[in-house]
């Protein structure tokens, strides 16, 4: 069971419930993958709210590996989740929010989860989306 206090989330991937967490090791992996010099640069990249499908694959794979799964990015690329691409965007948004905090929580910079269109790399007419709890995210929520 996922523990949000430890930055864990639960997500349905390929018909099973998985735990994802961005540990320091997973964050270091993402720094390397995205060419970010440090956590601030990585956080700023996520805060822009525009992530490609490849970015989503990397983030989900790092989150799974952070939780102890032995999975490659190619395996994650073939996974399915309820809601398709929008479902993956929700997973990425929840994972980033659990790691860095949602808007208005704690000290430091808050990161807005990306909208589904942002993760796909296409922001339709500048519109953002809304999380399941109704909070806006994406370009319209910034």
């Amino acid at each position: 069971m996922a523990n949000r206090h430890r930055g864990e989330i639960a997500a349905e991937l390929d018909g099973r419930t998985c735990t994802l967490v961005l540990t320091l090791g997973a964050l270091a992996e993402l720094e390397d993958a995205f060419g970010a010099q440090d956590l601030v640069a990585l956080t700023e990249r996520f805060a822009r709210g525009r992530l490609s499908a490849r970015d989503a694959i990397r983030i989900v794979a790092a989150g799974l590996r952070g939780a102890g799964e032995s999975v490659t990015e190619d395996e994650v690329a073939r996974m399915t989740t309820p809601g398709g691409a929008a479902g993956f965007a929700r997973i990425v948004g929840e994972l980033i929010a659990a790691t860095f905090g949602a808007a208005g929580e704690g000290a430091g910079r808050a990161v807005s989860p990306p909208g589904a269109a942002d993760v796909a790399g296409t922001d339709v007419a500048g519109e953002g989306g809304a999380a399941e709890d109704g909070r806006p995210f994406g370009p319209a929520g910034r």
Side-chain angles (χ1 to χ4, degrees), residues 45 48-57 85-86 89 114-127 139:
R45 179 183 173 96
R48 284 195 302 265
R50 294 187 57 95
L51 300 172
S52 69
R54 173 63 49 201
D55 294 344
I57 291 167
D118 298 330
V119 172
T122 57
D123 179 22
V124 181
E127 295 294 324

PDB file of all heavy atoms in Angstrom, residues 45 48-57 85-86 89 114-127 139:
ATOM      1  N   ARG A  45      12.039  22.184 -14.380  1.00  0.00           N
ATOM      2  CA  ARG A  45      11.586  21.499 -15.597  1.00  0.00           C
ATOM      3  C   ARG A  45      10.166  20.967 -15.397  1.00  0.00           C
ATOM      4  O   ARG A  45       9.309  21.127 -16.256  1.00  0.00           O
ATOM      5  CB  ARG A  45      12.543  20.371 -15.960  1.00  0.00           C
ATOM      6  CG  ARG A  45      12.098  19.606 -17.202  1.00  0.00           C
ATOM      7  CD  ARG A  45      13.029  18.437 -17.500  1.00  0.00           C
ATOM      8  NE  ARG A  45      12.510  17.628 -18.558  1.00  0.00           N
ATOM      9  CZ  ARG A  45      12.849  17.739 -19.835  1.00  0.00           C
ATOM     10  NH1 ARG A  45      13.722  18.645 -20.201  1.00  0.00           N
ATOM     11  NH2 ARG A  45      12.312  16.949 -20.739  1.00  0.00           N
ATOM     12  N   ARG A  48       7.333  23.669 -15.330  1.00  0.00           N
ATOM     13  CA  ARG A  48       6.882  24.213 -16.625  1.00  0.00           C
ATOM     14  C   ARG A  48       5.624  23.503 -17.090  1.00  0.00           C
ATOM     15  O   ARG A  48       4.859  24.029 -17.887  1.00  0.00           O
ATOM     16  CB  ARG A  48       7.986  24.086 -17.674  1.00  0.00           C
ATOM     17  CG  ARG A  48       9.084  25.114 -17.488  1.00  0.00           C
ATOM     18  CD  ARG A  48       9.964  25.220 -18.717  1.00  0.00           C
ATOM     19  NE  ARG A  48      10.602  23.982 -19.105  1.00  0.00           N
ATOM     20  CZ  ARG A  48      11.831  23.618 -18.746  1.00  0.00           C
ATOM     21  NH1 ARG A  48      12.545  24.403 -17.969  1.00  0.00           N
ATOM     22  NH2 ARG A  48      12.343  22.491 -19.168  1.00  0.00           N
ATOM     23  N   GLY A  49       5.398  22.271 -16.601  1.00  0.00           N
ATOM     24  CA  GLY A  49       4.161  21.559 -16.892  1.00  0.00           C
ATOM     25  C   GLY A  49       4.047  21.004 -18.290  1.00  0.00           C
ATOM     26  O   GLY A  49       2.993  20.541 -18.680  1.00  0.00           O
ATOM     27  N   ARG A  50       5.102  21.060 -19.077  1.00  0.00           N
ATOM     28  CA  ARG A  50       5.066  20.535 -20.447  1.00  0.00           C
ATOM     29  C   ARG A  50       6.060  19.381 -20.533  1.00  0.00           C
ATOM     30  O   ARG A  50       7.255  19.600 -20.606  1.00  0.00           O
ATOM     31  CB  ARG A  50       5.410  21.615 -21.457  1.00  0.00           C
ATOM     32  CG  ARG A  50       4.344  22.711 -21.489  1.00  0.00           C
ATOM     33  CD  ARG A  50       4.587  23.686 -22.597  1.00  0.00           C
ATOM     34  NE  ARG A  50       4.637  23.024 -23.892  1.00  0.00           N
ATOM     35  CZ  ARG A  50       3.607  22.901 -24.721  1.00  0.00           C
ATOM     36  NH1 ARG A  50       2.444  23.387 -24.373  1.00  0.00           N
ATOM     37  NH2 ARG A  50       3.743  22.311 -25.888  1.00  0.00           N
ATOM     38  N   LEU A  51       5.511  18.183 -20.532  1.00  0.00           N
ATOM     39  CA  LEU A  51       6.342  16.988 -20.604  1.00  0.00           C
ATOM     40  C   LEU A  51       5.932  16.157 -21.807  1.00  0.00           C
ATOM     41  O   LEU A  51       4.748  16.061 -22.126  1.00  0.00           O
ATOM     42  CB  LEU A  51       6.179  16.157 -19.319  1.00  0.00           C
ATOM     43  CG  LEU A  51       6.576  16.847 -18.014  1.00  0.00           C
ATOM     44  CD1 LEU A  51       6.189  15.977 -16.832  1.00  0.00           C
ATOM     45  CD2 LEU A  51       8.053  17.148 -17.997  1.00  0.00           C
ATOM     46  N   SER A  52       6.903  15.558 -22.451  1.00  0.00           N
ATOM     47  CA  SER A  52       6.620  14.698 -23.598  1.00  0.00           C
ATOM     48  C   SER A  52       6.221  13.306 -23.123  1.00  0.00           C
ATOM     49  O   SER A  52       6.365  12.969 -21.942  1.00  0.00           O
ATOM     50  CB  SER A  52       7.862  14.599 -24.487  1.00  0.00           C
ATOM     51  OG  SER A  52       8.881  13.866 -23.821  1.00  0.00           O
ATOM     52  N   ALA A  53       5.743  12.504 -24.050  1.00  0.00           N
ATOM     53  CA  ALA A  53       5.425  11.112 -23.728  1.00  0.00           C
ATOM     54  C   ALA A  53       6.690  10.397 -23.250  1.00  0.00           C
ATOM     55  O   ALA A  53       6.651   9.598 -22.315  1.00  0.00           O
ATOM     56  CB  ALA A  53       4.818  10.409 -24.944  1.00  0.00           C
ATOM     57  N   ARG A  54       7.832  10.667 -23.877  1.00  0.00           N
ATOM     58  CA  ARG A  54       9.108  10.069 -23.457  1.00  0.00           C
ATOM     59  C   ARG A  54       9.435  10.479 -22.025  1.00  0.00           C
ATOM     60  O   ARG A  54       9.897   9.676 -21.227  1.00  0.00           O
ATOM     61  CB  ARG A  54      10.217  10.477 -24.427  1.00  0.00           C
ATOM     62  CG  ARG A  54      11.628  10.063 -24.029  1.00  0.00           C
ATOM     63  CD  ARG A  54      11.912   8.595 -23.936  1.00  0.00           C
ATOM     64  NE  ARG A  54      11.475   7.828 -25.075  1.00  0.00           N
ATOM     65  CZ  ARG A  54      11.256   6.509 -25.022  1.00  0.00           C
ATOM     66  NH1 ARG A  54      11.427   5.842 -23.899  1.00  0.00           N
ATOM     67  NH2 ARG A  54      10.869   5.850 -26.079  1.00  0.00           N
ATOM     68  N   ASP A  55       9.183  11.741 -21.675  1.00  0.00           N
ATOM     69  CA  ASP A  55       9.402  12.209 -20.302  1.00  0.00           C
ATOM     70  C   ASP A  55       8.533  11.414 -19.336  1.00  0.00           C
ATOM     71  O   ASP A  55       8.996  10.991 -18.273  1.00  0.00           O
ATOM     72  CB  ASP A  55       9.062  13.694 -20.162  1.00  0.00           C
ATOM     73  CG  ASP A  55       9.981  14.621 -20.943  1.00  0.00           C
ATOM     74  OD1 ASP A  55      11.075  14.196 -21.364  1.00  0.00           O
ATOM     75  OD2 ASP A  55       9.581  15.792 -21.129  1.00  0.00           O
ATOM     76  N   ALA A  56       7.257  11.212 -19.699  1.00  0.00           N
ATOM     77  CA  ALA A  56       6.332  10.463 -18.842  1.00  0.00           C
ATOM     78  C   ALA A  56       6.834   9.040 -18.639  1.00  0.00           C
ATOM     79  O   ALA A  56       6.797   8.514 -17.521  1.00  0.00           O
ATOM     80  CB  ALA A  56       4.930  10.466 -19.439  1.00  0.00           C
ATOM     81  N   ILE A  57       7.320   8.411 -19.703  1.00  0.00           N
ATOM     82  CA  ILE A  57       7.861   7.054 -19.594  1.00  0.00           C
ATOM     83  C   ILE A  57       9.025   7.036 -18.614  1.00  0.00           C
ATOM     84  O   ILE A  57       9.100   6.169 -17.740  1.00  0.00           O
ATOM     85  CB  ILE A  57       8.293   6.532 -20.978  1.00  0.00           C
ATOM     86  CG1 ILE A  57       7.068   6.280 -21.857  1.00  0.00           C
ATOM     87  CG2 ILE A  57       9.155   5.268 -20.850  1.00  0.00           C
ATOM     88  CD1 ILE A  57       7.393   6.075 -23.329  1.00  0.00           C
ATOM     89  N   ALA A  85      -3.422   7.771 -22.376  1.00  0.00           N
ATOM     90  CA  ALA A  85      -2.424   8.831 -22.184  1.00  0.00           C
ATOM     91  C   ALA A  85      -2.812   9.761 -21.039  1.00  0.00           C
ATOM     92  O   ALA A  85      -1.958  10.182 -20.259  1.00  0.00           O
ATOM     93  CB  ALA A  85      -2.245   9.623 -23.478  1.00  0.00           C
ATOM     94  N   ALA A  86      -4.106  10.062 -20.908  1.00  0.00           N
ATOM     95  CA  ALA A  86      -4.560  10.910 -19.801  1.00  0.00           C
ATOM     96  C   ALA A  86      -4.311  10.224 -18.461  1.00  0.00           C
ATOM     97  O   ALA A  86      -3.983  10.878 -17.473  1.00  0.00           O
ATOM     98  CB  ALA A  86      -6.033  11.257 -19.956  1.00  0.00           C
ATOM     99  N   ALA A  89      -0.731  10.730 -17.667  1.00  0.00           N
ATOM    100  CA  ALA A  89      -0.528  12.108 -17.229  1.00  0.00           C
ATOM    101  C   ALA A  89      -0.931  12.265 -15.770  1.00  0.00           C
ATOM    102  O   ALA A  89      -0.251  12.945 -14.996  1.00  0.00           O
ATOM    103  CB  ALA A  89      -1.332  13.061 -18.114  1.00  0.00           C
ATOM    104  N   PRO A 114       1.499  18.156 -14.522  1.00  0.00           N
ATOM    105  CA  PRO A 114       1.182  18.478 -15.904  1.00  0.00           C
ATOM    106  C   PRO A 114      -0.192  17.960 -16.292  1.00  0.00           C
ATOM    107  O   PRO A 114      -0.657  16.969 -15.759  1.00  0.00           O
ATOM    108  CB  PRO A 114       2.275  17.750 -16.687  1.00  0.00           C
ATOM    109  CG  PRO A 114       2.667  16.615 -15.809  1.00  0.00           C
ATOM    110  CD  PRO A 114       2.513  17.133 -14.398  1.00  0.00           C
ATOM    111  N   GLY A 115      -0.830  18.650 -17.229  1.00  0.00           N
ATOM    112  CA  GLY A 115      -2.088  18.184 -17.791  1.00  0.00           C
ATOM    113  C   GLY A 115      -1.820  17.101 -18.816  1.00  0.00           C
ATOM    114  O   GLY A 115      -0.696  16.923 -19.269  1.00  0.00           O
ATOM    115  N   ALA A 116      -2.830  16.365 -19.205  1.00  0.00           N
ATOM    116  CA  ALA A 116      -2.678  15.283 -20.173  1.00  0.00           C
ATOM    117  C   ALA A 116      -2.108  15.795 -21.479  1.00  0.00           C
ATOM    118  O   ALA A 116      -1.221  15.177 -22.065  1.00  0.00           O
ATOM    119  CB  ALA A 116      -4.020  14.604 -20.406  1.00  0.00           C
ATOM    120  N   ALA A 117      -2.585  16.933 -21.960  1.00  0.00           N
ATOM    121  CA  ALA A 117      -2.065  17.475 -23.207  1.00  0.00           C
ATOM    122  C   ALA A 117      -0.618  17.889 -23.051  1.00  0.00           C
ATOM    123  O   ALA A 117       0.170  17.779 -23.979  1.00  0.00           O
ATOM    124  CB  ALA A 117      -2.913  18.661 -23.664  1.00  0.00           C
ATOM    125  N   ASP A 118      -0.236  18.378 -21.860  1.00  0.00           N
ATOM    126  CA  ASP A 118       1.141  18.774 -21.626  1.00  0.00           C
ATOM    127  C   ASP A 118       2.078  17.580 -21.716  1.00  0.00           C
ATOM    128  O   ASP A 118       3.152  17.669 -22.271  1.00  0.00           O
ATOM    129  CB  ASP A 118       1.297  19.421 -20.241  1.00  0.00           C
ATOM    130  CG  ASP A 118       0.485  20.691 -20.110  1.00  0.00           C
ATOM    131  OD1 ASP A 118       0.276  21.376 -21.121  1.00  0.00           O
ATOM    132  OD2 ASP A 118       0.053  20.983 -18.983  1.00  0.00           O
ATOM    133  N   VAL A 119       1.687  16.451 -21.151  1.00  0.00           N
ATOM    134  CA  VAL A 119       2.525  15.261 -21.177  1.00  0.00           C
ATOM    135  C   VAL A 119       2.686  14.766 -22.600  1.00  0.00           C
ATOM    136  O   VAL A 119       3.743  14.325 -23.007  1.00  0.00           O
ATOM    137  CB  VAL A 119       1.946  14.152 -20.271  1.00  0.00           C
ATOM    138  CG1 VAL A 119       2.704  12.859 -20.447  1.00  0.00           C
ATOM    139  CG2 VAL A 119       2.009  14.594 -18.823  1.00  0.00           C
ATOM    140  N   ALA A 120       1.651  14.886 -23.393  1.00  0.00           N
ATOM    141  CA  ALA A 120       1.731  14.452 -24.783  1.00  0.00           C
ATOM    142  C   ALA A 120       2.541  15.427 -25.617  1.00  0.00           C
ATOM    143  O   ALA A 120       2.876  15.140 -26.750  1.00  0.00           O
ATOM    144  CB  ALA A 120       0.325  14.306 -25.364  1.00  0.00           C
ATOM    145  N   GLY A 121       2.884  16.582 -25.032  1.00  0.00           N
ATOM    146  CA  GLY A 121       3.683  17.562 -25.741  1.00  0.00           C
ATOM    147  C   GLY A 121       2.849  18.511 -26.577  1.00  0.00           C
ATOM    148  O   GLY A 121       3.378  19.326 -27.309  1.00  0.00           O
ATOM    149  N   THR A 122       1.532  18.435 -26.473  1.00  0.00           N
ATOM    150  CA  THR A 122       0.666  19.328 -27.224  1.00  0.00           C
ATOM    151  C   THR A 122      -0.323  19.947 -26.265  1.00  0.00           C
ATOM    152  O   THR A 122      -1.166  19.280 -25.696  1.00  0.00           O
ATOM    153  CB  THR A 122      -0.105  18.571 -28.323  1.00  0.00           C
ATOM    154  OG1 THR A 122      -0.843  17.519 -27.721  1.00  0.00           O
ATOM    155  CG2 THR A 122       0.840  18.009 -29.364  1.00  0.00           C
ATOM    156  N   ASP A 123      -0.211  21.228 -26.089  1.00  0.00           N
ATOM    157  CA  ASP A 123      -1.115  21.946 -25.201  1.00  0.00           C
ATOM    158  C   ASP A 123      -2.177  22.599 -26.071  1.00  0.00           C
ATOM    159  O   ASP A 123      -1.938  23.605 -26.701  1.00  0.00           O
ATOM    160  CB  ASP A 123      -0.336  22.982 -24.397  1.00  0.00           C
ATOM    161  CG  ASP A 123      -1.215  23.776 -23.462  1.00  0.00           C
ATOM    162  OD1 ASP A 123      -2.301  23.285 -23.124  1.00  0.00           O
ATOM    163  OD2 ASP A 123      -0.805  24.873 -23.089  1.00  0.00           O
ATOM    164  N   VAL A 124      -3.336  21.995 -26.142  1.00  0.00           N
ATOM    165  CA  VAL A 124      -4.403  22.443 -27.030  1.00  0.00           C
ATOM    166  C   VAL A 124      -4.918  23.800 -26.584  1.00  0.00           C
ATOM    167  O   VAL A 124      -5.483  23.948 -25.511  1.00  0.00           O
ATOM    168  CB  VAL A 124      -5.554  21.415 -27.064  1.00  0.00           C
ATOM    169  CG1 VAL A 124      -6.650  21.872 -28.000  1.00  0.00           C
ATOM    170  CG2 VAL A 124      -5.023  20.064 -27.455  1.00  0.00           C
ATOM    171  N   ALA A 125      -4.692  24.795 -27.413  1.00  0.00           N
ATOM    172  CA  ALA A 125      -5.210  26.155 -27.204  1.00  0.00           C
ATOM    173  C   ALA A 125      -4.874  26.714 -25.828  1.00  0.00           C
ATOM    174  O   ALA A 125      -5.604  27.509 -25.283  1.00  0.00           O
ATOM    175  CB  ALA A 125      -6.725  26.184 -27.420  1.00  0.00           C
ATOM    176  N   GLY A 126      -3.767  26.255 -25.230  1.00  0.00           N
ATOM    177  CA  GLY A 126      -3.341  26.787 -23.946  1.00  0.00           C
ATOM    178  C   GLY A 126      -4.194  26.368 -22.787  1.00  0.00           C
ATOM    179  O   GLY A 126      -4.121  26.931 -21.724  1.00  0.00           O
ATOM    180  N   GLU A 127      -5.051  25.386 -22.970  1.00  0.00           N
ATOM    181  CA  GLU A 127      -5.942  24.946 -21.895  1.00  0.00           C
ATOM    182  C   GLU A 127      -5.249  23.925 -21.021  1.00  0.00           C
ATOM    183  O   GLU A 127      -4.552  23.047 -21.516  1.00  0.00           O
ATOM    184  CB  GLU A 127      -7.205  24.319 -22.484  1.00  0.00           C
ATOM    185  CG  GLU A 127      -8.054  25.295 -23.264  1.00  0.00           C
ATOM    186  CD  GLU A 127      -8.656  26.374 -22.395  1.00  0.00           C
ATOM    187  OE1 GLU A 127      -9.019  26.064 -21.263  1.00  0.00           O
ATOM    188  OE2 GLU A 127      -8.744  27.508 -22.846  1.00  0.00           O
ATOM    189  N   PRO A 139      -1.194  24.633 -17.981  1.00  0.00           N
ATOM    190  CA  PRO A 139      -1.043  26.081 -18.207  1.00  0.00           C
ATOM    191  C   PRO A 139      -2.166  26.908 -17.626  1.00  0.00           C
ATOM    192  O   PRO A 139      -1.933  27.996 -17.124  1.00  0.00           O
ATOM    193  CB  PRO A 139      -1.025  26.201 -19.732  1.00  0.00           C
ATOM    194  CG  PRO A 139      -0.541  24.863 -20.195  1.00  0.00           C
ATOM    195  CD  PRO A 139      -1.086  23.874 -19.202  1.00  0.00           C
TER     196      PRO A 139
END
